[in-house]
């Protein structure tokens, strides 16, 4: 069931983007490209589990209960990893990726949720709930310790680039589709709320939402 829900979501948001005129029809091809391998892995897992036979790769079946425990990260879809493609920047794709900068986030996998603190009011927040299914792309900026002037200076140029008229955020006709209806910017930083005011950050980075730390 978990796979069915994830696959439906994968295809659903892409169809919606095509209908709205946000994305070209060609993005629908990525559904097969992304789900093809994981579907084969799921079939192999189910077959091995039903036969209670050894399964290659990362999973082993030692009786039904042990097999389910071993395969839980996979069957719950938290360990599902899509291959390189238009939406996944990793080896073999045309998009530049620097996996070494984010060792805790594996390209092609779902981001594990963590409890963060909203900057404005200090309320705890489940970061996974920052991604509601409203059809928008999310730009997540891990800004680091922005209480350090040198780190803040590294963030400011990014904000300036995103604000440029020729930036990808501005590709849509404002009379038809507003950029904020397509993209949402989320900022995560590690500085203390007592040391940094929201107004210290480039305004463009938090115009859509409250930064979290």
């Amino acid at each position: 069931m978990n796979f069915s829900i994830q696959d439906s979501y994968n295809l659903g948001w892409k169809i919606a983007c095509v209908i709205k005129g946000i994305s070209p029809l060609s993005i629908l091809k990525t559904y097969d490209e992304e789900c093809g391998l994981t579907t084969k892995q799921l079939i192999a897992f189910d077959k091995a589990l039903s036969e209670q036979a050894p399964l290659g790769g990362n999973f082993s079946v030692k009786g039904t209960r042990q097999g389910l425990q071993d395969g839980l990260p996979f069957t719950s879809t938290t360990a599902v990893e899509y291959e390189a493609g238009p939406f996944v920047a990793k080896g073999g794709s045309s998009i530049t990726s620097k996996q070494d900068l984010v060792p805790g986030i594996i390209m092609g996998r779902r981001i594990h949720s963590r409890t963060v603190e909203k900057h404005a009011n200090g309320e705890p927040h489940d970061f996974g709930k920052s991604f509601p299914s409203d059809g928008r792309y999310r730009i997540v900026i891990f800004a680091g310790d922005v209480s350090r002037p040198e780190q803040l200076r590294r963030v400011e140029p990014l904000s300036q680039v995103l604000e440029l008229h020729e930036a990808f955020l501005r590709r849509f006709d404002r009379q038809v589709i507003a950029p904020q209806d397509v993209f949402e910017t989320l900022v995560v930083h590690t500085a203390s709320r007592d040391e940094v005011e929201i107004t210290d950050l480039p305004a463009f980075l938090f115009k859509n939402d409250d930064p979290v730390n």
Side-chain angles (χ1 to χ4, degrees), residues 70-113:
D70 291 345
L72 183 59
F74 180 70
T75 56
S76 66
T77 72
T78 58
V80 170
E81 185 174 337
Y82 291 148
E83 295 301 306
F87 296 110
V88 181
K90 57 196 304 186
S93 72
S94 59
I95 308 171
T96 301
S97 172
K98 295 183 179 180
Q99 177 68 77
D100 58 303
L101 296 179
V102 283
I105 299 177
I106 299 177
M107 301 298 181
R109 287 193 186 184
R110 189 175 75 189
I111 296 179
H112 291 283
S113 187

Side-chain angles (χ1 to χ4, degrees), residues 48-49 51-54 60-70:
L49 187 64
E51 296 175 351
Q52 296 189 10
S60 62
V61 178
K62 304 172 184 176
T64 303
R65 176 176 294 182
Q66 185 63 46
L68 288 172
Q69 291 178 346
D70 291 345

Side-chain angles (χ1 to χ4, degrees), residues 7 9 18 20 25 36 46 50 56 60 65 74 81 93 96 104 114 127 137 150 169-171 191:
D7 283 357
Y9 181 82
V18 171
K20 292 178 180 179
L25 187 63
D46 288 343
S50 63
S60 62
R65 176 176 294 182
F74 180 70
E81 185 174 337
S93 72
T96 301
R114 293 290 187 272
F127 189 60
Y137 292 91
E150 64 273 20
L169 296 178
R170 311 295 181 183
R171 291 182 181 178

Side-chain angles (χ1 to χ4, degrees), residues 171-205:
R171 291 182 181 178
F172 301 93
D173 186 344
R174 291 177 179 271
Q175 296 180 350
V176 179
I177 304 174
Q180 61 266 27
D181 292 333
V182 183
F183 299 101
E184 180 183 25
T185 304
L186 301 172
V187 181
V188 182
H189 67 79
T190 59
S192 168
R193 293 174 55 246
D194 297 328
E195 298 177 1
V196 178
E197 296 289 341
I198 289 182
T199 52
D200 293 336
L201 299 174
F204 177 80
L205 297 183

Side-chain angles (χ1 to χ4, degrees), residues 100-194:
D100 58 303
L101 296 179
V102 283
I105 299 177
I106 299 177
M107 301 298 181
R109 287 193 186 184
R110 189 175 75 189
I111 296 179
H112 291 283
S113 187
R114 293 290 187 272
T115 299
V116 294
E117 185 180 80
K118 285 202 167 188
H119 189 110
N121 54 25
E123 289 184 355
H125 176 66
D126 184 346
F127 189 60
K129 294 182 179 179
S130 299
F131 305 90
S133 301
D134 58 9
R136 289 187 293 175
Y137 292 91
R138 262 75 193 192
I139 303 170
V140 182
I141 300 172
F142 296 96
D145 186 355
V146 290
S147 66
R148 296 164 49 207
E150 64 273 20
Q151 180 62 22
L152 186 58
R153 285 195 294 270
R154 295 179 64 187
V155 176
E156 289 172 345
L158 174 60
S159 175
Q160 295 168 2
V161 169
L162 293 176
E163 286 190 280
L164 292 175
H165 181 72
E166 60 269 25
F168 66 90
L169 296 178
R170 311 295 181 183
R171 291 182 181 178
F172 301 93
D173 186 344
R174 291 177 179 271
Q175 296 180 350
V176 179
I177 304 174
Q180 61 266 27
D181 292 333
V182 183
F183 299 101
E184 180 183 25
T185 304
L186 301 172
V187 181
V188 182
H189 67 79
T190 59
S192 168
R193 293 174 55 246
D194 297 328

